Amino acid sequence: MGKERKANWAEMMGEAVREPEFSHSYGGEDYFVFPFRCLRLSGAEDVVNVIVSRNTVDQFDIRAGQRLAIRGEVRSYNNRSGMGNKLVITVHAGQVAPAWSVEDFNRVALVGNLCRKPVYRRTPMGREITDLLLAVNRSYGKADYLPCIVWGGMARQAAHWEVGDQVRLRGRLQSRNYIKVQNQEPVEKVAFEVSAMTLERVKK
């Protein structure tokens, strides 16, 4: 199936920050995780966690600082450990290869249904933004719940959409640092979200 038809695909080119470490086992397969850095055109960087199978680790020797091309899907799961964010966002890599360009890229396309009422707001700088939570079905019955943001005119448009509407978007998976006060102490956190470049409502 081509990526244009899939409801969830991601492709990135950038740099491994660290070597893969064991993450979890599922269905008799071991999986590993490593942070992956992509630079934006502005020079800002996004660092996202990439999940790879043991087979990929065995076949492709991933090292810190190594430039890689990643293709896969954006995934989510609930963190019940009580540590860190409750909703964990990763990229599940189906393919890993040596980078073929010195320029980074970060591309995501999703088709899913709104599972929460859109939240429209303005940033302290006055920019319009709408927060969306998209439920994207996997091929075997589960779904990934992915936070997305849209800006400007798209934000005003999406603010009026309803829970259950089907949405198609393209953008990038970005990381964002913020401060949260816990026990009266500021704690630095990292949020992951898909920043939409194009957006359309497919159907109600």
Side-chain angles (χ1 to χ4, degrees):
M1 179 181 294
K3 68 183 180 183
E4 298 295 333
R5 295 185 177 183
K6 291 184 66 174
N8 183 339
W9 64 262
E11 57 179 12
M12 300 178 176
M13 189 172 296
E15 176 183 293
V17 179
R18 292 195 302 272
E19 296 179 9
E21 299 177 350
F22 177 78
S23 171
H24 64 282
S25 297
Y26 181 79
E29 178 78 70
D30 291 338
Y31 291 90
F32 294 76
V33 61
F34 66 96
F36 187 72
R37 179 188 294 115
C38 291
L39 292 179
R40 304 181 194 175
L41 292 177
S42 65
E45 63 179 30
D46 295 302
V47 179
V48 301
N49 288 321
V50 174
I51 300 289
V52 291
S53 67
R54 177 178 290 279
N55 183 56
T56 299
V57 171
D58 290 342
Q59 290 186 359
F60 198 96
D61 189 22
I62 298 172
R63 300 291 182 179
Q66 186 176 9
R67 287 190 54 75
L68 301 169
I70 304 289
R71 288 185 177 178
E73 298 180 355
V74 185
R75 296 283 181 86
S76 72
Y77 70 89
N78 289 317
N79 179 11
R80 297 184 174 89
S81 68
M83 303 293 291
N85 295 335
K86 292 183 179 179
L87 186 65
V88 178
I89 307 298
T90 64
V91 174
H92 190 282
Q95 300 177 25
V96 177
W100 59 83
S101 170
V102 296
E103 295 184 359
D104 291 1
F105 59 75
N106 179 341
R107 304 169 187 148
V108 171
L110 303 172
V111 179
N113 295 87
L114 294 178
C115 55
R116 187 173 65 192
K117 183 176 176 59
V119 177
Y120 173 86
R121 55 192 172 88
R122 286 183 179 268
T123 69
M125 299 297 292
R127 294 188 67 191
E128 296 174 287
I129 183 174
T130 293
D131 298 296
L132 308 172
L133 186 62
L134 213 60
V136 180
N137 291 329
R138 299 185 194 175
S139 57
Y140 46 87
K142 292 187 176 182
D144 293 291
Y145 296 89
L146 305 175
C148 306
I149 56 172
V150 293
W151 300 91
M154 290 191 302
R156 292 194 299 274
Q157 182 183 24
H160 301 289
W161 295 349
E162 300 174 353
V163 173
D165 286 352
Q166 190 177 72
V167 174
R168 177 185 291 118
L169 65 82
R170 289 175 177 268
R172 70 168 183 266
L173 177 61
Q174 67 180 25
S175 59
R176 173 174 53 85
N177 295 325
Y178 68 99
I179 301 296
K180 183 175 182 180
V181 177
Q182 295 181 331
N183 299 322
Q184 299 183 339
E185 293 290 335
V187 178
E188 186 173 5
K189 300 275 190 177
V190 181
F192 299 93
E193 59 208 0
V194 176
S195 180
M197 307 301 177
T198 65
L199 178 77
E200 64 176 320
R201 181 169 56 176
V202 181
K203 61 181 179 180
K204 291 186 177 183

